[in-house]
């Protein structure tokens, strides 16, 4: 079980984790094997696969290609019910709790539940919270929901808490892929202070320095997509930085 044996285990030890997001639309075979190579070398914790919209790509082939090339767990990060695939190791069962679109709060879940049961997929219930990032991101447009304002710390905290009280096992603060501004550090700090479940943060993180700030603000898992698609080597920089943070956090504990 990925959640209990990896995510939660590391979380309880205070170990920061890194997920690389693969968009099936952008995953060309060559590029994918390059990303797998860097991910293995740099001990990336998870691959997330999925997207708000998949036009010409195919999530099933992308997952298959990843499973052939790496032992890193592949977790579906679905835009909708059609992205459920039995080859994956787990599925983030995302409920878009910052929005008021019933289809993304429960509708797509009802549609996908029978297939999930049939495939025996591990389901990780996740409270997905969209934060305004200065531009209209694809997820915002496609989900037809309003994000929480960039400075809406109290709303973000209340929403995250509500997700945890509803039994969600992860909370994901999302600025949106390609976001102009990442989720603000102050918001991450406040949400983290109130939560007892692991916190994921993603959207618009393009440098190791920014990833460091997000980890230090309190993210347990940082997600990087776009920046790695264009520059796989960035993974080394981010992974080295994550290692240093983990070493210093472990030292502090002793
Ligand atoms: C998007 O949080 C992820 O869902 C990653 O975003 O592609 O901007 O890194 P980027």
């Amino acid at each position: 079980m990925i959640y209990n044996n990896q995510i939660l285990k590391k979380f309880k030890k205070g170990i920061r984790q890194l997920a690389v997001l693969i968009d099936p639309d952008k995953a060309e075979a060559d590029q994918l094997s390059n990303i797998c190579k860097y991910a293995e070398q740099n001990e990336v914790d998870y691959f997330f696969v999925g997207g708000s919209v998949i036009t010409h790509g195919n999530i099933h082939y992308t997952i298959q290609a990843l499973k052939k090339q790496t032992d890193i767990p592949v977790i579906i990060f679905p835009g909708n019910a059609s992205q459920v695939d039995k080859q994956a190791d787990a599925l983030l069962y995302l409920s878009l709790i910052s929005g008021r679109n019933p289809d993304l709060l429960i509708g797509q879940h009802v549609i996908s539940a029978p297939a999930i049961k049939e495939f025996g997929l591990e389901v990780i219930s996740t409270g997905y919270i969209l934060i305004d990032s200065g531009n209209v991101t694809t997820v915002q447009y496609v989900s037809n929901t309003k994000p929480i304002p960039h400075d809406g710390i109290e709303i973000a905290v209340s929403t995250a808490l509500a997700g945890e009280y509803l039994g969600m096992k992860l909370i994901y603060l999302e600025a949106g892929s390609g976001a102009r501004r990442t989720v603000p550090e102050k918001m991450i700090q406040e949400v983290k202070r109130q939560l007892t479940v692991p916190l994921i943060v993603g959207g618009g993180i393009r440098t190791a320095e920014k990833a460091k700030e997000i980890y230090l603000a309190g993210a347990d898992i940082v997600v990087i997509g776009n920046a790695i698609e264009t520059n796989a080597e960035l993974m080394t920089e981010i992974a080295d930085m994550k290692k240093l943070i983990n070493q210093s956090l472990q030292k502090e504990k002793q």
Side-chain angles (χ1 to χ4, degrees):
M1 299 292 274
I2 305 290
Y3 184 74
N4 286 333
N5 298 341
Q6 303 195 35
I7 298 178
L8 208 54
K9 217 178 204 172
K10 289 185 181 171
F11 166 73
K12 284 182 179 162
K13 291 183 184 161
I15 298 172
R16 303 300 203 257
Q17 307 173 55
L18 175 64
V20 169
L21 173 67
I22 307 286
D23 177 346
D25 269 347
K26 298 183 192 154
E28 302 296 335
D30 288 359
Q31 192 194 16
L32 211 55
S33 48
N34 197 34
I35 288 177
C36 283
K37 192 185 82 190
Y38 276 100
E40 292 272 350
Q41 281 168 6
N42 292 298
E43 296 170 29
V44 163
D45 297 280
Y46 315 102
F47 277 119
F48 285 179
V49 186
S52 314
V53 204
I54 298 179
T55 52
H56 53 279
N58 182 312
I59 190 165
H60 311 289
Y61 294 146
T62 306
I63 294 174
Q64 195 175 46
L66 284 170
K67 293 302 295 173
K68 269 191 195 154
Q69 297 180 67
T70 175
D71 291 327
I72 295 171
V74 175
I75 303 178
I76 303 171
F77 173 63
N80 58 54
S82 74
Q83 296 179 21
V84 171
D85 186 281
K86 65 176 169 194
Q87 309 162 97
D89 296 292
L91 164 80
L92 293 184
Y93 211 38
L94 300 175
S95 189
L96 184 52
I97 56 176
S98 55
R100 299 296 178 264
N101 177 347
D103 195 38
L104 299 174
L105 281 163
I106 182 66
Q108 292 294 312
H109 311 70
V110 174
I111 293 169
S112 59
I116 294 170
K117 180 83 179 166
E118 191 193 324
F119 299 158
L121 254 182
E122 178 184 344
V123 166
I124 308 173
S125 171
T126 302
Y128 193 47
I129 300 177
L130 205 53
I131 310 298
D132 184 66
S133 62
N135 53 320
V136 179
T137 55
T138 309
V139 55
Q140 186 184 330
Y141 179 78
V142 172
S143 67
N144 201 12
T145 64
K146 268 194 210 143
I148 290 176
H150 196 73
D151 58 358
I153 292 179
E154 284 174 13
I155 309 174
V157 170
S158 308
T159 308
L161 270 180
E164 177 169 339
Y165 294 154
L166 281 166
M168 288 160 180
K169 292 177 174 171
L170 294 174
I171 294 296
Y172 193 143
L173 291 179
E174 170 74 276
S177 194
R180 206 169 284 159
R181 292 187 293 180
T182 60
V183 177
E185 275 101 70
K186 185 87 185 106
M187 184 181 278
I188 299 169
Q189 280 165 7
E190 291 302 314
V191 169
K192 174 69 182 173
R193 224 157 50 84
Q194 302 281 340
L195 280 187
T196 65
V197 296
L199 177 64
I200 307 183
V201 180
I205 303 168
R206 296 179 180 85
T207 61
E209 193 48 42
K210 184 41 96 177
K212 182 179 175 184
E213 287 168 18
I214 304 260
Y215 276 127
L216 293 180
D220 298 294
I221 303 177
V222 160
V223 186
I224 320 250
N226 271 306
I228 278 172
E229 276 157 14
T230 48
N231 174 17
E233 290 156 36
L234 178 66
M235 238 183 285
T236 311
E237 268 178 59
I238 293 177
D240 287 350
M241 178 274 299
K242 181 190 75 156
K243 220 177 267 172
L244 286 179
I245 292 179
N246 282 334
Q247 282 164 357
S248 73
L249 289 173
Q250 294 311 309
K251 258 192 212 144
E252 269 173 35
K253 270 187 162 184
Q254 287 163 6

